Amino acid sequence: MGNDNTVYVGLDVHKESITIAYAVDLGEVELLGKIGTSPTEIDRLCKRLQSKARHVRVVYEAGPCGYGLYRRLMGHGFECMVCAPSLIPRKPGERVKTDRRDAMKLVRSLRAGDLSAVYVPTVEDEAFRDLARAWVSAKTDLKQARQRLKSFLLTHGIHYIGRADWGAAHRRWLSKYSFDNEWRQLAFDEHRRTIEDRLAQCDRLEAAMREAVIRWRFYPAVLALQTMRGIQFTSAVGMLAELGDLSRFQHPRQLMAWLGVTPSEHSSGETRRLGSITKTGNSYARKLLVEAAWSYRHPARVSPAIQLRHEGIPKPIIDRAWDAQLRLCRRFRKLAARGKNVNVAVVAVSRELAGFIWDVARIAMAMAIPHGGQPT
């Protein structure tokens, strides 16, 4: 423990086992062995690593096992990184993959500085994100249940005369319809009951989010984002839950790149070629961003719903949201006038919208909007 050496540790983590490799400074990479994932075995591993050098740097790939191991290692005073699996350097001709090789490769890449760390949320942020994702899952289940019922009716040649948008008239028609066959009626009732259950689940989870968001540290940013066109409560909460702390992005271009809305590039010499967007990063946050960008096809205006969300919000944030409307609506019109495909135009608008989101959230957190407002 008296030396100033650094030990680099690579962990190949699975549900029930962890394969460990290490190297001291620039020495050879060695295999330390395989252990279980219980807290006792991890604490025993930490003691072994502490005996090898004063400074310990650990890395493992992000995966389904979460960040519990990261927090435990940080608690022991280690420098820990959770790296992005898709950005780990790989040899083109490499055809053999084992736990031992993966752990040793992580050690070499960590020592060379070739790994990209993923953002690790706090325990509170991760808990709120779990709540937000539960609502998203419930909404997805509701959509699938509605599709199954429509398919069931279509199979039996039943068509609703009107707009089947699950509005009040459509739901009344469904509640009154009945089949002659007892078994078919039972299947129909079960499809309807599934939809009602999912609706109730969505309502419960949304109510829980509205209650919990007031105590969340990003509540000022949630209120601020709702001043912008196309971003309502669930969109603001879902976006911030996935993005986390926006202060980690020093420039809005970093957020655009993280969301995967920047164009891919293949340049060589004096030739520069831009392709489709990279689609890296969080797919759900990118989906919410693009959905919000569609609202800027229409002329800039402050609707009564947006005006209601402006109540209690500082004027600099409202002015910035209006600046975003003016610029993005004008941007869409210009792209449409040049003959750009509507989807291309919307993605271009979403890229600039990400920059405004970064700015509005930054202003809101700096001004610390009072918690007296209520999400709408």
Side-chain angles (χ1 to χ4, degrees):
M1 285 293 294
N3 58 57
D4 289 329
N5 293 336
T6 299
V7 57
Y8 299 91
V9 184
L11 306 178
D12 190 64
V13 180
H14 296 279
K15 182 176 70 173
E16 296 179 352
S17 67
I18 301 175
T19 304
I20 309 110
Y22 76 98
V24 179
D25 287 335
L26 299 178
E28 289 292 326
V29 178
E30 302 180 29
L31 186 68
L32 190 61
K34 180 180 290 189
I35 64 170
T37 56
S38 66
T40 303
E41 292 182 90
I42 294 173
D43 291 341
R44 191 180 299 122
L45 169 66
C46 292
K47 290 181 180 179
R48 291 181 65 183
L49 296 175
Q50 287 171 337
S51 66
K52 294 184 179 297
R54 180 185 298 274
H55 307 291
V56 180
R57 297 185 61 190
V58 187
V59 65
Y60 69 94
E61 297 180 35
C65 296
Y67 304 114
L69 177 60
Y70 168 88
R71 297 187 179 109
R72 196 167 194 88
L73 293 172
M74 292 290 287
H76 281 274
F78 295 167
E79 182 182 341
C80 186
M81 173 196 291
V82 182
C83 68
S86 60
L87 299 179
I88 297 176
R90 287 179 172 83
K91 296 179 181 178
E94 198 170 37
R95 293 293 183 270
V96 179
K97 182 185 183 302
T98 63
D99 295 347
R100 178 180 62 83
R101 286 193 173 209
D102 288 346
M104 297 176 75
K105 183 193 298 183
L106 286 173
V107 173
R108 296 188 184 97
S109 299
L110 175 64
R111 188 166 57 183
D114 292 336
L115 299 177
S116 298
V118 302
Y119 171 71
V120 179
T122 65
V123 175
E124 182 189 46
D125 292 347
E126 188 176 20
F128 191 86
R129 187 179 67 182
D130 291 339
L131 178 61
R133 287 181 174 179
W135 179 84
V136 174
S137 298
K139 289 291 286 186
T140 303
D141 293 342
L142 173 61
K143 180 181 178 181
Q144 292 174 350
R146 286 172 167 175
Q147 289 173 338
R148 285 194 295 268
L149 178 56
K150 282 187 174 182
S151 299
F152 177 81
L153 294 174
L154 183 62
T155 300
H156 299 291
I158 299 166
H159 304 277
Y160 173 66
I161 307 303
R163 188 174 180 182
D165 57 356
W166 301 100
H170 185 209
R171 293 198 303 271
R172 281 196 302 270
W173 177 80
L174 285 172
S175 65
K176 295 177 181 178
Y177 193 87
S178 62
F179 288 90
D180 296 333
N181 186 283
E182 177 186 356
W183 299 337
R184 189 168 294 162
Q185 179 64 36
L186 179 60
F188 177 62
D189 290 339
E190 287 299 325
H191 281 302
R192 277 180 28 206
R193 187 172 292 110
T194 300
I195 294 174
E196 293 168 1
D197 291 344
R198 296 289 76 77
L199 277 171
Q201 184 183 22
C202 290
D203 292 341
R204 288 196 307 270
L205 288 169
E206 185 172 345
M209 283 196 300
R210 290 181 181 276
E211 180 182 353
V213 73
I214 300 175
R215 305 190 301 273
W216 193 30
R217 63 175 178 142
F218 296 131
Y219 180 57
V222 171
L223 292 178
L225 290 188
Q226 291 180 78
T227 63
M228 304 181 69
R229 189 173 189 170
I231 302 180
Q232 300 178 0
F233 172 72
T234 52
S235 301
V237 165
M239 199 171 295
L240 287 172
E242 298 296 336
L243 295 177
D245 189 359
L246 287 177
S247 64
R248 61 196 173 99
F249 300 107
Q250 300 300 317
H251 194 277
R253 289 196 187 94
Q254 295 177 350
L255 175 58
M256 297 173 193
W258 189 88
L259 287 167
V261 291
T262 54
S264 57
E265 181 176 351
H266 183 81
S267 300
S268 179
E270 297 181 357
T271 304
R272 185 168 182 258
R273 296 176 181 172
L274 298 179
S276 59
I277 59 173
T278 59
K279 293 187 180 181
T280 57
N282 190 286
S283 60
Y284 180 62
R286 183 170 59 253
K287 172 179 175 289
L288 292 176
L289 180 71
V290 174
E291 285 179 350
W294 277 98
S295 64
Y296 293 93
R297 294 174 298 159
H298 311 291
R301 62 183 289 265
V302 178
S303 66
I306 297 177
Q307 185 67 45
L308 184 63
R309 298 199 294 265
H310 283 179
E311 294 181 4
I313 305 298
K315 191 173 183 299
I317 295 176
I318 297 175
D319 291 343
R320 196 64 177 139
W322 178 243
D323 292 341
Q325 266 212 71
L326 293 176
R327 177 179 174 86
L328 297 179
C329 292
R330 184 171 61 248
R331 173 74 167 156
F332 183 88
R333 288 197 305 270
K334 287 184 177 179
L335 291 172
R338 289 165 50 188
K340 291 290 186 180
N341 180 277
V342 63
N343 294 319
V344 174
V346 167
V347 170
V349 169
S350 70
R351 182 163 51 249
E352 294 195 23
L353 176 59
F356 281 105
I357 288 173
W358 176 87
D359 197 30
V360 167
R362 179 183 59 85
I363 296 172
M365 296 305 293
M367 299 184 70
I369 298 174
H371 284 206
Q374 293 293 327
T376 58

